[in-house]
Amino acid sequence: MSHKSTGRFLIFLLASALAAGIPTVAAAARHPSSSVPHDYGDALTKCIMFFEGQRSGKLPPTQRLTWRRDSALKDGSDIGMDLVGGYYDAGDNVKFHLPMAWTTTMIGWSVLEFGNKMGYPDLRHSLYALRWGTDYFLKATSVPDRIVAQVADPVLDHDCWERPEDMDTPRNSYVLNASHPGSEVAGEIAAALAVGALAFRKISPSYTKLLLNRAIQVFEFGDKHRGSYAQSVGAGACPFYCSSNGYMDELAWGAAWLFKATGDNKYAYYVKSNLGTSLTAFNWDSKFAGVYVLLAYLDYAYAANADNLVCAIMPESPFKTYTFTPGGLLYAEGASCNMQNPTALCFLLAAYTRVLRAQNRVVQCGDVNIAPSRLDRFVKGQVDYILGSNPLGMLYMVGYGSKYPQRIHHRGSVLPDVRKHPERIGCSEGCRFFKNVTSNPNVLTGAVVGGPDVYDGFQDSRLVVSQSEPTTYINAPFVGVLAFVKGRTNV
């Protein structure tokens, strides 16, 4: 999984693979970018389907990835709570609530911003994916003045290669309270619940009321008892999902969504009083850029900062801070899972085009003017790269097209289906499946992997985790991006 250590287990496997002479790098000759038209509707359908492969808990009758089965049905029993459900974050079996909550928020924002471009079947499944997250966070916040920050010991989990259906590593729950605060988790869960309230407002008023009331309670708890969850959770959080830039961005993010959901100006004032300057990142750990785009219609200060974000991204801008691969993919230097950057930042650009068009203006980056139509083309170009228009002709979404990663770093995908191999596969026994260089037996449809390096190189190997591992927080904003591009086929 990205932004966290893979532990002693991966080191052992890497050494074993090299000693056995197993190839870890896929040979691929470079050829010109593909000119084949892309099916954005098919990609959108599969992007949403991916979340079914990440489900934890009792699977519903609507489950389409049938090689998955029920798992972790006793989560929360160690603290007397029902914590069955939610999502595994990446290729492991841990439920990290900070990235899970951001994933839920971004699925919800995709629905709110671009749901009218999806088409009914994809919109319905997006709402299923959203509710899988919001239902779970209602459970994780069901005890007053207590928030569960994550479930499972990540160190022990990463030392094993087990199917979710088989896992027997500790499923301990990490709890936040007044003496062990976690404002990042509280702020992001509040955002997720508020987004859910907006998305389900016309579908279920009673569910909307429940979500909104809980969002307010969770936000107030996180604001009243300020502190970093990384300190409260300790080794369970770092080095896996450390909060590198504090918790005020999550609190401002939660307040921004509460303002959108309630219209209460106290939340708008809260955001304005706690503005930050981190503009060059938007991901599970950094939210200010999202706040500026979300509220850009309200105030010039938000719009000005959103303009600065555009200038930091666009390749022709004299103020750009991002680099690009030779093939044109946006790249963040030092990123351990780069694909989360183009998917999340393209979401913000796509959302911001609506504001710019409504205001009938362009973004000025020095002497360069960037019109909404230019942002349309940029977003489409990034999507096309991910879907195969790149120097390797590699489609970085699993199950889309024919040339996609075959050996992704994902336990459920690597280990055989329970139906075909009903016997339990133990911790160490799973190693032999990991080391096998054949393609994964189970296709994790729609999974977008970590992607190529800064030179457009890609190693289709489970050992190269930063390139071959999918994550929920890569796919979540990509849902909205694909809906946007699908709806603007003339860009």
Side-chain angles (χ1 to χ4, degrees):
M1 66 195 67
S2 303
H3 284 284
K4 53 192 186 292
S5 167
T6 55
R8 298 181 300 274
F9 175 72
L10 184 56
I11 295 173
F12 164 75
L13 289 174
L14 177 59
S16 300
L18 294 175
I22 296 174
T24 61
V25 180
R30 290 177 177 267
H31 57 77
S33 298
S34 170
S35 59
V36 177
H38 301 292
D39 188 338
Y40 303 115
D42 182 50
L44 173 62
T45 297
K46 289 172 177 174
C47 185
I48 299 164
M49 193 182 301
F50 159 75
F51 294 100
E52 297 183 16
Q54 299 303 112
R55 282 171 170 165
S56 179
K58 183 73 175 177
L59 301 184
T62 55
Q63 177 78 14
R64 291 174 291 177
L65 294 185
T66 55
W67 52 265
R68 281 296 322 281
R69 288 290 186 271
D70 300 344
S71 61
L73 298 181
K74 295 182 180 179
D75 278 2
S77 59
D78 60 320
I79 55 173
M81 294 179 68
D82 174 9
L83 295 173
V84 176
Y87 291 109
Y88 304 119
D89 72 302
D92 58 15
N93 301 322
V94 185
K95 297 193 294 195
F96 293 96
H97 292 182
L98 180 57
M100 190 199 300
W102 190 76
T103 292
T104 304
T105 302
M106 292 308 299
I107 295 172
W109 196 2
S110 294
V111 168
L112 294 172
E113 197 77 35
F114 305 114
N116 63 336
K117 308 293 185 183
M118 291 181 180
Y120 176 71
D122 287 332
L123 177 59
R124 182 178 75 250
H125 284 289
S126 292
L127 288 169
Y128 289 161
L130 172 61
R131 183 148 186 170
W132 195 265
T134 53
D135 280 353
Y136 179 74
F137 284 117
L138 287 174
K139 293 181 177 184
T141 59
S142 59
V143 177
D145 297 327
R146 173 192 281 190
I147 298 173
V148 182
Q150 69 186 57
V151 177
D153 183 315
V155 175
L156 295 178
D157 178 90
H158 293 169
D159 280 348
C160 280
W161 196 264
E162 294 179 316
R163 296 179 296 201
E165 296 81 4
D166 287 336
M167 60 185 172
D168 56 0
T169 51
R171 303 294 296 174
N172 45 303
S173 305
Y174 295 80
V175 178
L176 306 173
N177 51 39
S179 59
H180 295 84
S183 297
E184 303 98 331
V185 178
E188 189 59 69
I189 291 178
L193 296 172
V195 168
L198 286 165
F200 290 107
R201 179 167 285 173
K202 295 181 180 180
I203 301 171
S204 176
S206 59
Y207 187 60
T208 289
K209 183 178 180 180
L210 175 61
L211 291 173
L212 192 53
N213 287 340
R214 187 66 57 79
I216 292 170
Q217 294 169 16
V218 171
F219 175 80
E220 291 176 349
F221 173 81
D223 188 41
K224 179 180 179 181
H225 304 289
R226 292 189 180 185
S228 174
Y229 99 108
Q231 295 176 347
S232 298
V233 173
C238 290
F240 308 98
Y241 286 103
C242 305
S243 178
S244 62
N245 62 346
Y247 51 76
M248 284 313 305
D249 58 323
E250 277 84 15
L251 289 176
W253 178 240
W257 280 109
L258 280 169
F259 171 71
K260 294 281 286 187
T262 66
D264 191 331
N265 283 326
K266 74 177 182 181
Y267 294 114
Y269 178 77
Y270 185 98
V271 175
K272 186 170 288 190
S273 301
N274 292 284
L275 289 178
T277 57
S278 177
L279 290 173
T280 58
F282 181 57
N283 52 47
W284 60 265
D285 185 38
S286 187
K287 317 293 165 57
F288 279 127
V291 172
Y292 296 132
V293 171
L294 180 65
L295 301 182
Y297 69 94
L298 265 187
D299 189 292
Y300 173 75
Y302 299 121
N305 279 310
D307 282 1
N308 290 339
L309 174 67
V310 172
C311 295
I313 295 172
M314 298 302 291
E316 65 265 41
S317 167
F319 309 121
K320 72 176 184 296
T321 59
Y322 282 94
T323 58
F324 292 83
T325 69
L329 182 68
L330 184 149
Y331 199 89
E333 293 290 349
S336 62
C337 168
N338 180 65
M339 201 65 86
Q340 65 181 311
N341 296 297
T343 61
L345 292 171
C346 281
F347 182 98
L348 293 186
L349 295 181
Y352 197 43
T353 62
R354 298 182 64 181
V355 177
L356 293 173
R357 286 189 166 94
Q359 297 174 349
N360 193 29
R361 68 181 183 87
V362 301
V363 176
Q364 291 185 304
C365 304
D367 59 354
V368 176
N369 290 335
I370 298 176
S373 59
R374 169 64 181 120
L375 296 181
D376 293 343
R377 293 193 300 273
F378 176 84
V379 171
K380 180 178 180 296
Q382 295 296 297
V383 171
D384 288 349
Y385 183 108
I386 295 170
L387 297 183
S389 295
N390 56 65
L392 295 179
M394 176 64 73
L395 295 86
Y396 290 106
M397 174 181 284
V398 174
Y400 175 81
S402 58
K403 186 181 178 182
Y404 56 81
Q406 301 291 319
R407 288 165 283 277
I408 66 172
H409 185 95
H410 187 277
R411 286 157 175 76
S413 177
V414 170
L415 295 166
D417 186 340
V418 172
R419 294 173 302 178
K420 299 177 181 178
H421 192 294
E423 297 80 15
R424 181 182 175 277
I425 301 173
C427 176
S428 58
E429 185 184 357
C431 296
R432 66 183 177 90
F433 294 97
F434 182 96
K435 292 186 289 184
N436 191 326
V437 296
T438 59
S439 300
N440 291 5
N442 303 315
V443 178
L444 186 59
T445 302
V448 181
V449 297
D453 61 27
V454 70
Y455 303 107
D456 295 308
F458 179 73
Q459 301 182 68
D460 189 3
S461 169
R462 300 175 196 116
L463 295 168
V464 188
V465 184
S466 63
Q467 294 192 349
S468 66
E469 187 173 26
T471 72
T472 57
Y473 45 87
I474 294 175
N475 271 65
F478 204 44
V479 171
V481 172
L482 286 168
F484 169 77
V485 174
K486 176 188 174 185
R488 298 190 63 83
T489 55
N490 62 334
V491 299

